[in-house]
Amino acid sequence: MAGEQGSVEYWLGRLSDAVSDLEYSGLVTFEHQGLLETLQVYHAVRDGEQVERVRYLSGEPRELISHGTTSACDRAVSPFGRASQWSGVNGQGTGSYHFVLRGGERIADRETVVIEARPRDQHRLGVFLNLDRETGLPLKSMLVGAQGRVLERYQFVELDLSPISDEDLKPRSADVRRIDNRHACETAQTRWQLSWLPDGYEKVAVRTLADGDMLVFSDGLSVFTVFVQRLGPELEYKGRAIRGATVAYMDRVEVDGTYFTVTVVGEIPDATAQRVARSVGTGS
């Protein structure tokens, strides 16, 4: 057993079991761009399905309720979707990262083991995850950019492993955002293609929008989305915005005299987002 506990595969298995089976609640801090937010989270299992309620206790009032396992198909995920994606990694299953055990750390008065997912190229961010030694539950998550700069950090400051009541899962605000991850990814047809894609990323979903298409790509841990939408002749959008680890880069493409906006959104380096945006075309 001691040898098993010293392997990444063992801890990823513990993580998978924990996010699928455990009920818990707690207080979590979220740090990004010098801002610190506090969240209250309730995570339950109902009929084998995960149900999660997240309420922001600082900043603008926000509340999320999600059903099912967070998938890479939709950008509308809960703050803890990254840990759910980790649970789908089968040992060294994604060749885009090198997984390393990094010792331990005390989080929320509990001992944890640290796993690093180190990128094998410059087109994705590094990830550190702290797993509770007792349960395998992720208690801390960090996204790291160049030179080890921390871009986002989620961290439990209080954890309660008591069962969650139905009352705890009811929204407390009228403008709650509901996220449904119980359905398979959409696979609509699209004429848009990428002439360049970082190694390891695959197209996992295509959705038809009222004025264009949405394409989702994932390497197993990281996700980015490409929106291609028709652009009016009087508009010329171009530029980027960065919020913590999430970058949004906007460009435009002309096809047969018609202009379209191309927006790349995801937890990827800025230079990667720009290169992806410039590679979008019809392939014709």
Side-chain angles (χ1 to χ4, degrees):
M1 178 64 74
E4 289 182 359
Q5 292 186 9
S7 72
V8 171
E9 290 85 355
Y10 170 82
W11 287 107
L12 289 176
R14 294 286 307 278
L15 164 63
S16 181
D17 292 340
V19 298
S20 299
D21 303 332
L22 280 184
E23 295 201 343
Y24 58 87
S25 60
L27 293 178
V28 178
T29 57
F30 173 38
E31 298 175 63
H32 59 100
Q33 286 187 306
L35 300 176
L36 178 65
E37 296 181 292
T38 307
L39 297 75
Q40 184 180 46
V41 57
Y42 295 92
H43 185 277
V45 179
R46 295 291 186 270
D47 298 323
E49 175 186 284
Q50 298 178 48
V51 183
E52 189 172 80
R53 181 169 75 90
V54 177
R55 189 164 70 97
Y56 286 75
L57 303 181
S58 56
E60 290 295 321
R62 285 161 289 166
E63 193 169 10
L64 306 173
I65 295 181
S66 63
H67 291 261
T69 304
T70 299
S71 70
C73 306
D74 201 330
R75 287 296 307 168
V77 298
S78 81
F80 305 96
R82 191 178 307 127
S84 295
Q85 288 178 336
W86 274 69
S87 69
V89 177
N90 182 15
Q92 305 292 325
T94 172
S96 302
Y97 302 85
H98 178 52
F99 292 90
V100 184
L101 288 178
R102 286 293 182 198
E105 189 180 6
R106 190 160 164 263
I107 302 292
D109 200 25
R110 301 177 69 88
E111 296 300 324
T112 70
V113 61
V114 183
I115 302 179
E116 176 189 3
R118 185 186 304 160
R120 296 186 185 273
D121 60 32
Q122 74 274 26
H123 297 305
R124 63 208 85 223
L125 304 177
V127 190
F128 286 83
L129 204 61
N130 288 59
L131 303 184
D132 181 31
R133 283 191 176 272
E134 179 185 345
T135 65
L137 192 68
L139 299 185
K140 178 180 174 182
S141 171
M142 294 194 306
L143 278 177
V144 180
Q147 288 80 50
R149 178 172 170 241
V150 177
L151 303 175
E152 283 189 4
R153 179 187 354 240
Y154 288 102
Q155 180 171 327
F156 274 87
V157 293
E158 287 184 7
L159 177 67
D160 186 344
L161 294 170
S162 303
I164 302 300
S165 69
D166 291 343
E167 189 67 25
D168 290 330
L169 298 175
K170 293 181 179 179
R172 299 293 188 270
S173 57
D175 57 349
V176 60
R177 186 176 187 182
R178 297 184 181 275
I179 303 168
D180 192 342
N181 293 306
R182 292 171 288 189
H183 306 294
C185 299
E186 294 185 30
T187 55
Q189 296 296 314
T190 180
R191 64 172 172 159
W192 299 105
Q193 301 176 22
L194 273 60
S195 61
W196 178 83
L197 192 64
D199 288 343
Y201 281 94
E202 297 180 357
K203 185 165 58 181
V204 296
V206 176
R207 180 174 299 170
T208 302
L209 307 175
D211 56 352
D213 291 337
M214 180 184 86
L215 297 78
V216 185
F217 299 83
S218 176
D219 66 359
L221 290 185
S222 172
V223 181
F224 69 83
T225 304
V226 178
F227 298 90
V228 187
Q229 296 165 285
R230 187 160 183 160
L231 178 66
E234 74 283 0
L235 302 176
E236 184 170 348
Y237 293 124
K238 195 168 185 177
R240 68 185 176 99
I242 298 176
R243 178 182 180 272
T246 301
V247 62
Y249 180 78
M250 182 176 287
D251 209 331
R252 70 175 188 170
V253 62
E254 181 184 1
V255 177
D256 298 330
T258 300
Y259 285 99
F260 297 83
T261 58
V262 175
T263 308
V264 179
V265 182
E267 294 170 343
I268 54 176
D270 180 35
T272 303
Q274 292 188 37
R275 188 171 175 184
V276 167
R278 291 166 183 163
S279 77
V280 174
T282 60
S284 57

